[in-house]
Structure formats: C-alpha cells, structure tokens
Amino acid sequence: MPAAAAAAPMISSVQKLVLYETRARYFLVGSNPAETKYRVLKIDRTEPKDLVIIDDKHVYTQQEVRELLGRLDLGNRTKIGQKGSSGLSRAVSAFGVVGFVRFLEGYYIVLITKRRKMADIGGHAIYKIEDTNMIYIPNDSVRVTHPDEARYLRIFQNVDLSSNFYFSYSYDLSHSLQYNLTVLRMPLETLKTETTQTRQESFDIFEDEGLSTQGGSGIFGICSKPYEKYVWNGKLLEAVKNTVHRDWLLYIIHGFCGQSKLLIYGRPIYVTLIARRSSKFAGTRFLKRGANCEGDVANEVETEQILYDASVMSFSAGSYSSYVQVRGSVPLYWSQDISTMMPKPPITLDQADPFAHVAALHFDQMLQRFGSPIIILNLVKEREKRKHERILSEELVAAVTYLNQFLPPEHAIIYIPWDMAKYTKSKLCNVLDRLNVIAESVVKKTGFFVNRPDSYCSILRPDEKWNELGGYVVSTGRLQTGVLRTNCVDCLDRTNTAQFMVGKCALAYQLYSLGLIDKPNLQFDTDAVRLFEELYEDHGDTLSLQYGGSQLVHRVKTYRKIAPWTQHSKDIMQTLSRYYSNAFSDADRQDSINLFLGVFKPTEGKPHLWELPTDFYLHHKNTLSLSQTRRSYTYWWTTGVLKHLPLPFDEVTCAENRRKLTVKKFHKYEEEIDIHNEFFRPYELSSFDETFCLAMTNSTRDFMPKNVGIDPSPFTVRKPDETGKSVLGNKSNREETVLQRKTAASAPPPPSEEAVSSSSEDDSGTDKEDEGAVSQRSTPVKVTDTGDNTKITENVVQSTKDVYGVNLSDVPSEDDLTIYARFVQLGQSQHKQDKSSQQFCSKHHLDRVINL
C-alpha cells in the first residue's frame, strides 16, 4: 500500500457571528474563536422576494473589520457627522447559520443563538442547538404582505430546533467515524492530485495564504461532502451553497447524541452514542410507514457507538473504535389507516411489487454505504390469531428471496426472523439470552472499526471468539463491512432492546481490541454495562418521542423481568400518551416536517399545505411524473458496487468519491487544522465547573457503589440493588468524594476476568448470577445493606479465619453474621492505616457482637 499522508479535518473559521443591520443591508460578520480572522456576508434588504447575498471571500483581520464597520456606520447615518443615531446597529449574536427559507413573502434567515456542548470526539466538539432566531430579511418599506404568511411561519416554527438537533464545526456528523478516518488516510499521491485540482478550480485568491514554502511541514486539510440523507438543513442552504464560502455552511443532523466517561482505574474511556435520523421520507408514526418510490424508509435511523481513549486526543495517534447499526421500517409499500381510531389499525399493502423494486433501491443504498453482508433482524410477530404483523414478514421474505437470486452467495442478504413478542410472553424462554446469541453471530459477521492493529496481548493470549471475527483487516486496524438492520413494526421498543444487546456485544469487542479487558465478554450489572444501558435508554426515549410521540414503553429492564412494579403504571401512561399524540397532533407535526425539509414549497396560486388531503404525492415523485429510465429487475445494484464488496463503495478510493472531497494544504500550525487550539481554547477564560469532561456522566461517580473498599473496576458484577447513588451514613457529598478517591487510590491492580456463560451474562436471575456477584480478586469483603446474606457467608468465614484466627462455624444466625461482617469490613479498612485496630475485631469483641 502507498504511504498515507499527514491529513486532518478542516475546521470552520466561522464560529462566532454578529448580524449588523442598516436600512438597506444586513452585514453578517463571522470570525474564528480567537477572533483573528473574519469573513463578511452582505445581504440585500431592498429585494422583496429574492435573496441577494454577496460574499467577497476575503479574510479580514480584526483591525480591517473594525475599519469596515466604522465606515459602514458613518456612511449610513441620516446626516453626515451626526452622532446621535447610529447608521449601523447590532441586531443579534449567533454561532452559526441554519439556512434561509421563503414562504409567500420574502426570505428569512435562521441563526443559532445558543448552543451546548454534548460530546467530544478526538478534540472535535459536537454541539446541540439550544435556541434559534428567525429574522425577516426585507425592509418594511418594500415588504409585500400576504395573509397566509403568518400561518406558514407558525407551521415552520413547530419544528423545534432546540430539540435534538446537532452540529460540529470540524467533524462531519453525517458520516461514520470509519468513513471520516478512512478519508484522512488516503494515499499521499491522491491528496497531491486533489490539491492541484482544487487550486485550479478555486476562485478564492486567499486560499493559499499562510501556505508553507517547505514541502515537508505542510499538512493536508480535508473537507468531505456531507451525506445528504442525514442532513436536515440541506434545502435551507440550497439557495446559498454555491455562492458563499464553505465555512458559512453548517450542516445539522437530527436524532440523538450522548457521551459518558468510563473510568478504568483512572484511565478515561469515552463512550459516545450518535443517532442520525434520515431526512428522506421523514415523519410521524402512523403517517409514515414503509418506503417511498426512491427506497427511503420511514423512521430510518443510523446508530453509531464510538469508543476512544480520551488520554490521547489525536486521530492519528489515538485509539478509536466504532460500530454502526441501522433501524428502519419494513421496505415495502404499506400503511395503516388511522381514521378508524383503533390502537392498532390494520396493516394494508398499498401496491403490489412482484420484482421487489422498492426493496432493491433500499438495499442498494445500504450496500453503497455499508458494504456486505446486509443482515436483517426482523422482530415482528410470526404467529397471530388474525393476520396483522405477519403480512409484513411474508412480503419481506419474498422480496429478500427474490433479490438474493442475483447476488453472489458470499454477499447475499442474511434474513433472521425472530418473534420477540412471543418469547417475551413465555416464562421458559429468556429473551436476552436468545438476543445475545444473535448479537454474537451478527458482530462476528460484520466486524467493527478500530484504527489500530491488534494489541500485543491479544496476540500472546488469543481468544477463540476474536479469531472468528469478520470484517476487513488492514494494516492500520479493522474495518466494519456490512451492517445489521433491525426492524419491528414501529422500530421503537423491541428494536431498541435488540440494538442494545448487539451494541453491548460489540462494546465488549471494542474494549478488547483496545487492550482494556482480557476477554471480549461483558456481564450485566457491571458499571460499564449500566452506563451503556443508560445511554441506550436515553437514545431510545429520544427517538421514540420524535417518531411515536412518547417515551419507550418496554425497556431493557422489562425484558430482563427486573422492572419495578411501578413501571407498569408508567408503561400504561406512555401508551396513552403515544395514542393521544398519534390521534391528535401527528398531522400538524407532519405538516411542519414537510415544510421544514422542503418537501412542500408554498407557491402562489396553488393549494396550501393545510388544504392537501394527503402528502402521498409529495413523497412519491413517480406519481407526478414518469421516470425516463427504468432500473433492471435482475441487476438491481448500482454499477461498481458489487466489484468492491465486501467494502462499502462510498469508502473506496475512486474518481467518483474523490470528487466529494475538498483538499487543501496548510502550514502545520494553521488554525484551520490546529485541533489543539480548537479544543483547549487558550485565548478564552475557562472554569473547571463548566468544563465538559468534568460534567459528563461518569462511571465512578454515577454508577460505582460508594461502599468502603468496593472494587473500583467497572467490569465487576454488582448486586442489582447497588447503585452509585448509595451513601455512607449521613456523610456529605464532599466527604463521600474524598472517601471514594482514597478507596480508588488503594485499589488492587487491574484483574484478569474469567469467562462466564451466556446465562450469567444475560443475568436471567438463575443461580449462575451468584457466581459472578463476588469479585475474583483479593479485595476486602464486599458488604451491602440489603440483599442475599448467603452470598457473603463463605467469604466472611474464610476472611476472618485467615486474618484474625477466629472460627465462625458456630455462629448462631445469618443476621448476626451480617452484623459481624460489617465490623470486619470497617476493621480491615481501618487496619491499613493503624495496626492497633486489630483489637477492634478481637475475639472479645466478636463475642459481644454474636451476643447481640
């Protein structure tokens, strides 16, 4: 393989914005965080319906911007030399431009006025939009009013941009980590070629400013074209993307983003969960089902779990791993009629599709983005008294069988049907046991992404499961090839639990690949899995609210059958909330989504959005015009896709993919590629209380029990009633923190965990759960306030006999033994600091305890 070049993602130089206004113009001034480089947009306010934007693409210094604004202020005053009224006034400060939109009057500009940091990936910050401002551009003197403008504005603003919309100035959120890092490792010759072509095609005379004359010290900055399917403001930026500099274009995604810190004996491992909701065929639960004519399915969400060692920030030097899976509606023409006001309306197949045309389009998209194999996990019901969900299963099996006829056997679509609802009702079957088996087989077929070769310890002590792992192995690590596609009917409750189990299995392999555990196994009721489960619960609740109108009804604890009895009443309330939302508010939400995404464009003289009887024709374009070209019924994939399988076509170095990249050479210390300055912000005043890495969810602080002498490893099985919220007596939080630090400081070295059976991993409540409840390390006896006392009997007896020479074989009862165990626990903790504490647990004191 040719040598890879030094490359880095390009950082947008427009992160702070100020909008200034005059009577005839808006001036949008954008700067980098250090406020050393500026760009200026001029927006005309004299055009009543057209958008006129001028970008000189010049990079200004701070002094030049001040002089420019001063001249504008002076030139726009009503009288020359007048000081009482300013000709240039400051309208609003912002952090980015969402886009421009027009209904029936003039254009509006949508600005991000408040943001909040949600995650950090290799020093690249991911922000959530907290607040926006929508400003009408034309001046009041030229404004042509329309009676329906206010109603369109209200519908547009029903899409709450402060609810789960995310962006980044330097990291492409529309692509996976595997894609982003693969692009950075393009061969050196390719980057040089792309740099030459970029210079020839560019009209920006300032593009080469600051370029080093020494060829060896330059670094290639790479900016990739976003994946349009997951960009939600693509239509809003359509009017300006060809006229303004790329730094003004800020692409946002919709879905979920959460990050937690997994502390492994002080080593910070960041676990990140990113969900990208598709902007194609988007909508609400009963109004968007199945697929449209272009192969886009309803409720399609790509979920990516990213794991990396936060102690090393660089993409080139750090350790990064990711795993991607997808959920989405069954790719058929089907719907449900909600006019009957039934909780479960009947499923109807709208069109016959004997050649699986729509399914072919959908799976063709997946082959391009993920490679092979495509694995379908179908969780809908197989046995029903009256055919309901089974209609979808039968059609999906027929479509997959038809499409597999023409694919090579090694790249065939794998179909796994499993009636999850049936297994849940059975008392003899453990749902999560079966899901764990499926998850293992899936991860072994697809593999996962990691940007470093196998660790030396994996070579010395190879694991059987690791040797069977699939994917694509390269010199720099591993690539995920193929993806798991999970669906039920709604793709909410059952799907989220199945995705969690697959994600848990993949997480074990990711931790193993980074050398953090010695076996690719993770058990329930460990701090690591509790942290991961909470991330997936938040992920599921968020996606369920967006599509279904309520939070999850059935959670992981429900399927583990350990949910508290109060959960049943909550489930009923969530079901009622979902039904109410579907019946009364989903239609308005669907109109808002159609308007926001540009699916419907208001036009003078045509029916308004609220006058349309259905939006079917808006999402199915083949109903309005016939396509001039017809796809083959046998060669249903895009040309070139099959040749590169199992690798995804989008990640292959070819001319078509190179056209999606913008490559530019920078000096080593240029701000556009300096992630160190972008992350640490040395020019800004920072506070520890507001530092994101200290505020995020922490496995030690939020999940590890606070008992003295507890094993601090996040991979030790805890008792189900132990949580990070337990306290020691009435100590203050400050004292607890100090005590916790002392305990962690005196903790034993990292252990070597033993392999456990699948029933123990799934924590089904059997006796095998007890085997993993006690740590296999030489640590003090673990004692809790509640729980099964018999679990600690053997350990307490042996510990007391070895340390104090006291035989407890004649202890009268388990309750007395529990009391004594607490004394022993405290005595051992104190013994490390003062040898005289052995008197505390002398035989005399033991007799007093037993006599209690």
Side-chain angles (χ1 to χ4, degrees):
M1 282 183 66
M10 277 195 268
I11 304 170
S12 173
S13 63
V14 179
Q15 299 188 25
K16 292 183 177 180
L17 289 80
V18 180
L19 186 67
Y20 297 92
E21 65 173 322
T22 65
R23 293 176 61 88
R25 303 281 188 275
Y26 273 125
F27 293 92
L28 191 58
V29 180
S31 71
N32 59 356
E35 298 184 1
T36 57
K37 294 184 178 181
Y38 291 80
R39 293 185 181 272
V40 180
L41 281 184
K42 185 171 72 172
I43 307 172
D44 192 1
R45 300 186 66 193
T46 60
E47 291 290 337
K49 292 189 176 182
D50 294 329
L51 182 64
V52 180
I53 294 182
I54 299 174
D55 181 10
D56 59 6
K57 297 183 179 176
H58 178 66
V59 179
Y60 296 86
T61 64
Q62 191 177 67
Q63 183 62 30
E64 289 173 340
V65 165
R66 286 178 179 174
E67 293 175 358
L68 174 64
L69 295 177
R71 289 196 299 269
L72 290 172
D73 181 33
L74 187 62
N76 285 280
R77 288 177 182 171
T78 53
K79 294 181 181 179
I80 298 178
Q82 182 181 358
K83 296 183 179 180
S85 61
S86 175
L88 184 73
S89 60
R90 181 170 178 152
V92 67
S93 298
F95 295 103
V97 181
V98 175
F100 299 84
V101 63
R102 176 181 175 269
F103 308 122
L104 295 171
E105 295 181 9
Y107 274 89
Y108 298 83
I109 181 173
V110 185
L111 299 172
I112 300 170
T113 56
K114 193 176 180 182
R115 69 185 182 187
R116 180 160 59 98
K117 189 173 180 179
M118 294 298 296
D120 177 88
I121 301 177
H124 300 268
I126 299 174
Y127 296 97
K128 176 180 179 290
I129 299 176
E130 289 286 296
D131 198 10
T132 57
N133 197 347
M134 198 167 177
I135 299 172
Y136 188 67
I137 293 177
N139 201 319
D140 290 339
S141 61
V142 299
R143 182 170 187 171
V144 179
T145 60
H146 193 283
D148 294 316
E149 179 76 7
R151 186 167 183 180
Y152 275 116
L153 179 61
R154 190 164 57 251
I155 293 174
F156 183 88
Q157 291 178 332
N158 277 344
V159 175
D160 186 7
L161 282 170
S162 65
S163 175
N164 308 117
F165 283 88
Y166 305 91
F167 68 93
S168 176
Y169 298 111
S170 55
Y171 183 82
D172 189 352
L173 286 172
S174 65
H175 284 292
S176 66
L177 179 73
Q178 176 172 314
Y179 176 90
N180 290 334
L181 295 193
T182 301
V183 165
L184 295 181
R185 290 182 171 175
M186 290 181 64
L188 180 63
E189 294 74 15
T190 304
L191 292 178
K192 286 182 177 178
T193 306
E194 292 301 314
T195 306
T196 305
Q197 293 178 356
T198 302
R199 289 183 191 174
Q200 292 175 352
E201 297 172 1
S202 175
F203 294 96
D204 188 351
I205 61 175
F206 296 93
E207 282 291 316
D208 292 331
E209 280 189 357
L211 188 63
S212 172
T213 56
Q214 301 176 4
S217 63
I219 294 181
F220 292 98
I222 300 180
C223 180
S224 59
K225 184 180 178 183
Y227 192 63
E228 294 181 359
K229 187 176 198 175
Y230 299 115
V231 173
W232 275 64
N233 62 334
K235 292 292 183 181
L236 302 179
L237 294 173
E238 200 171 50
V240 298
K241 68 179 181 181
N242 295 324
T243 59
V244 302
H245 191 273
R246 65 173 178 271
D247 283 353
W248 292 103
L249 305 177
L250 192 65
Y251 296 100
I252 63 174
I253 67 166
H254 184 40
F256 173 79
C257 179
Q259 188 173 62
S260 297
K261 184 192 299 182
L262 182 65
L263 275 176
I264 305 176
Y265 292 97
R267 187 177 180 182
I269 306 298
Y270 285 4
V271 182
T272 312
L273 206 61
I274 299 175
R276 309 173 184 93
R277 180 174 290 281
S278 172
S279 61
K280 309 293 184 183
F281 203 50
T284 53
R285 185 183 177 203
F286 284 127
L287 299 179
K288 285 293 161 283
R289 294 294 209 190
N292 64 5
C293 62
E294 297 177 349
D296 303 308
V297 298
N299 195 22
E300 183 173 7
V301 182
E302 178 182 300
T303 299
E304 179 180 21
Q305 61 187 59
I306 299 174
L307 190 80
Y308 77 96
D309 187 346
S311 57
V312 182
M313 192 173 59
S314 167
F315 272 154
S316 57
S319 301
Y320 293 82
S321 177
S322 72
Y323 183 77
V324 178
Q325 47 186 325
V326 177
R327 70 172 69 182
S329 189
V330 180
L332 305 167
Y333 289 121
W334 65 281
S335 63
Q336 287 179 280
D337 184 13
I338 59 173
S339 61
T340 55
M341 293 295 289
M342 296 171 60
K344 288 186 178 181
I347 293 174
T348 57
L349 295 173
D350 299 330
Q351 296 182 36
D353 193 6
F355 299 105
H357 175 68
V358 65
L361 291 171
H362 177 68
F363 292 122
D364 181 32
Q365 292 179 13
M366 298 190 72
L367 287 174
Q368 288 187 58
R369 184 163 172 85
F370 305 110
S372 69
I374 303 298
I375 304 174
I376 302 171
L377 178 57
N378 185 18
L379 303 175
V380 304
K381 296 177 181 177
E382 297 287 339
R383 295 182 180 180
E384 297 174 298
K385 294 180 180 178
R386 191 175 62 184
K387 244 190 193 182
H388 182 64
E389 296 183 10
R390 189 152 54 97
I391 297 173
L392 301 178
S393 290
E394 293 172 354
E395 288 295 320
L396 183 59
V397 169
V400 171
T401 304
Y402 174 81
L403 296 177
N404 275 340
Q405 296 178 90
F406 313 107
L407 281 175
E410 64 271 18
H411 302 309
I413 301 169
I414 300 173
Y415 179 78
I416 305 174
W418 189 56
D419 190 343
M420 189 169 174
K422 172 191 169 186
Y423 274 78
T424 305
K425 294 176 182 177
S426 173
K427 295 182 180 179
L428 301 176
C429 301
N430 189 317
V431 176
L432 300 189
D433 264 339
R434 176 59 179 160
L435 278 176
N436 190 62
V437 174
I438 295 173
E440 285 284 352
S441 64
V442 166
V443 176
K444 284 180 181 178
K445 286 184 175 68
T446 62
F448 63 95
F449 169 73
V450 62
N451 73 330
R452 52 173 280 180
D454 293 350
S455 56
Y456 190 56
C457 62
S458 301
I459 300 174
L460 287 177
R461 297 187 301 273
D463 187 86
E464 294 179 3
K465 293 166 64 176
W466 182 258
N467 295 331
E468 299 172 1
L469 194 63
Y472 195 81
V473 181
V474 293
S475 59
T476 56
R478 291 175 175 268
L479 300 177
Q480 178 181 344
T481 56
V483 73
L484 172 68
R485 185 195 189 280
T486 310
N487 72 266
C488 47
V489 176
D490 296 324
C491 302
L492 296 177
D493 302 338
R494 287 173 280 180
T495 298
N496 197 71
T497 301
Q499 284 194 331
F500 164 74
M501 288 301 298
V502 176
K504 171 178 166 289
C505 178
L507 181 66
Y509 281 98
Q510 290 176 284
L511 290 166
Y512 180 78
S513 69
L514 301 184
L516 300 172
I517 55 178
D518 62 349
K519 297 285 183 182
N521 294 318
L522 282 179
Q523 303 179 51
F524 275 109
D525 291 324
T526 59
D527 297 343
V529 173
R530 282 176 174 173
L531 177 144
F532 190 65
E533 183 181 339
E534 185 177 87
L535 269 178
Y536 251 97
E537 293 284 323
D538 294 342
H539 162 268
D541 283 338
T542 302
L543 298 182
S544 183
L545 278 167
Q546 293 166 6
Y547 183 65
S550 74
Q551 294 182 346
L552 291 174
V553 175
H554 301 298
R555 304 172 180 274
V556 176
K557 287 184 176 61
T558 307
Y559 293 103
R560 288 184 68 190
K561 299 178 181 177
I562 62 171
W565 63 272
T566 54
Q567 185 64 40
H568 298 297
S569 59
K570 293 180 181 178
D571 292 347
I572 294 172
M573 291 304 298
Q574 294 298 340
T575 303
L576 293 175
S577 174
R578 185 176 294 182
Y579 176 71
Y580 175 84
S581 176
N582 300 153
F584 300 105
S585 62
D586 276 6
D588 294 335
R589 289 173 57 207
Q590 186 66 57
D591 286 345
S592 302
I593 292 171
N594 290 340
L595 188 63
F596 183 87
L597 293 176
V599 178
F600 176 86
K601 294 182 179 179
T603 307
E604 195 71 44
K606 290 189 177 181
H608 294 300
L609 178 61
W610 52 87
E611 294 174 349
L612 297 177
T614 177
D615 64 350
F616 180 85
Y617 307 102
L618 301 177
H619 292 274
H620 295 77
K621 297 178 181 178
N622 61 351
T623 58
L624 300 177
S625 61
L626 292 175
S627 175
Q628 300 298 322
T629 58
R630 190 175 65 181
R631 292 175 66 97
S632 170
Y633 289 142
T634 56
Y635 297 98
W636 50 267
W637 50 85
T638 302
T639 305
V641 170
L642 211 60
K643 182 173 65 175
H644 298 286
L645 290 178
L647 291 174
F649 179 76
D650 288 352
E651 296 174 14
V652 174
T653 303
C654 61
E656 183 178 343
N657 289 335
R658 287 201 298 266
R659 284 194 291 268
K660 301 175 183 177
L661 302 177
T662 302
V663 183
K664 178 184 170 185
K665 194 172 183 182
F666 291 93
H667 185 274
K668 192 158 108 177
Y669 299 108
E670 280 285 307
E671 293 180 357
E672 282 86 346
I673 56 159
D674 190 356
I675 193 60
H676 179 275
N677 275 351
E678 172 69 14
F679 178 75
F680 288 103
R681 305 285 177 95
Y683 36 78
E684 292 182 0
L685 178 66
S686 58
S687 170
F688 278 117
D689 294 336
E690 299 174 359
T691 304
F692 173 73
C693 62
L694 298 179
M696 73 166 69
T697 303
N698 187 311
S699 64
T700 302
R701 183 184 63 231
D702 300 318
F703 293 94
M704 192 181 84
K706 303 299 187 295
N707 298 25
V708 178
I710 202 75
D711 188 349
S713 170
F715 307 114
T716 298
V717 178
R718 317 286 188 198
K719 297 179 68 174
D721 55 346
E722 287 181 337
T723 64
K725 297 178 182 178
S726 62
V727 296
L728 287 173
N730 297 321
K731 291 183 180 288
S732 63
N733 293 333
R734 187 180 186 88
E735 291 174 330
E736 287 180 35
T737 305
V738 173
L739 185 60
Q740 179 183 341
R741 288 175 183 169
K742 289 182 179 179
T743 305
S746 61
S752 58
E753 292 185 352
E754 298 294 330
V756 293
S757 64
S758 61
S759 59
S760 176
E761 286 176 14
D762 287 330
D763 202 1
S764 59
T766 62
D767 293 336
K768 292 189 177 183
E769 176 188 350
D770 301 343
E771 298 174 6
V774 181
S775 175
Q776 299 175 2
R777 307 184 177 113
S778 55
T779 56
V781 181
K782 179 175 67 175
V783 181
T784 54
D785 292 339
T786 58
D788 188 1
N789 296 325
T790 59
K791 294 181 181 180
I792 63 172
T793 302
E794 185 178 350
N795 288 345
V796 172
V797 171
Q798 187 62 38
S799 175
T800 310
K801 185 175 181 180
D802 294 342
V803 178
Y804 303 104
V806 178
N807 192 353
L808 296 182
S809 58
D810 55 346
V811 172
S813 69
E814 290 181 359
D815 292 336
D816 298 334
L817 180 58
T818 304
I819 297 173
Y820 170 72
R822 295 175 187 169
F823 274 84
V824 172
Q825 179 70 35
L826 294 173
Q828 287 181 339
S829 176
Q830 186 70 16
H831 174 68
K832 296 177 182 179
Q833 302 177 17
D834 185 6
K835 294 183 179 179
S836 63
S837 63
Q838 291 184 8
Q839 298 176 359
F840 178 79
C841 284
S842 65
K843 191 174 187 305
H844 173 69
H845 289 276
L846 172 63
D847 294 336
R848 291 182 59 187
V849 172
I850 294 178
N851 290 331
L852 290 176

